[in-house]
Amino acid sequence: YIVSGSGDNRIKIWDANSGSCTKTLEGHSNNVNSVAYSPDGTKIISGSEDKTIKIWNANSGSCTKTLQGHSGQVNSVAYSPNGKYIVSGSGDNRIKIWDANSGECLKTLYGHAAEVSSVSWDPNGKYIISGSEDYSIKIWGVE
């Protein structure tokens, strides 16, 4: 399966073999900028211009949690390789690390002078990499 987010505020799950849409997830009130599957494929996260991150059950399509804490649009979201954490980058120039189960914000990272456009984890989960509209890339030690 493939997941996509769109300017129509929706998330779609697609069958990669047939190309057909199998589910449409609704719940964001603005454009969906970023989506990602959990490493085990059971959950989907989405980041939106409505300043929220949503966690979805990939099988049922239901929203199980809404994470709030950014004061700008959420541009990028990613699961840690072990699936325990979520990282988000936002138009508020901040990066947040969240507990994927409880939805609690564990840490806010400051350092970019403009909005954070992209975030990802290294394959071992020890570093977060962020790209910003301030033309910088930063590598953050998770610990």
Side-chain angles (χ1 to χ4, degrees):
Y1 294 97
I2 299 168
V3 64
S4 66
S6 178
D8 66 3
N9 311 348
R10 295 184 178 116
I11 297 152
K12 292 187 180 275
I13 300 173
W14 305 86
D15 183 302
N17 293 320
S18 70
S20 64
C21 177
T22 61
K23 277 190 188 61
T24 300
L25 314 181
E26 298 187 41
H28 281 293
S29 62
N30 209 327
N31 297 346
V32 177
N33 294 330
S34 182
V35 292
Y37 269 103
S38 61
D40 66 5
T42 63
K43 296 177 185 171
I44 294 168
I45 50 173
S46 57
S48 170
E49 289 185 17
D50 66 12
K51 305 176 187 173
T52 68
I53 298 154
K54 292 189 180 288
I55 301 174
W56 307 83
N57 179 304
N59 294 322
S60 70
S62 63
C63 178
T64 59
K65 279 193 181 35
T66 300
L67 313 183
Q68 298 182 44
H70 280 294
S71 60
Q73 68 185 30
V74 179
N75 293 320
S76 185
V77 291
Y79 268 102
S80 63
N82 64 10
K84 293 182 180 180
Y85 305 101
I86 294 167
V87 65
S88 59
S90 172
D92 62 12
N93 307 357
R94 295 180 179 101
I95 298 157
K96 291 187 178 282
I97 302 171
W98 310 81
D99 182 292
N101 290 321
S102 71
E104 176 188 1
C105 180
L106 302 173
K107 189 84 174 168
T108 301
L109 307 177
Y110 304 87
H112 284 293
E115 66 180 81
V116 179
S117 51
S118 181
V119 291
S120 65
W121 296 82
D122 81 294
N124 296 317
K126 293 182 179 181
Y127 299 97
I128 292 170
I129 300 89
S130 60
S132 169
E133 292 191 15
D134 66 8
Y135 305 104
S136 72
I137 296 169
K138 294 190 181 291
I139 300 171
W140 309 81
V142 174
E143 296 211 12

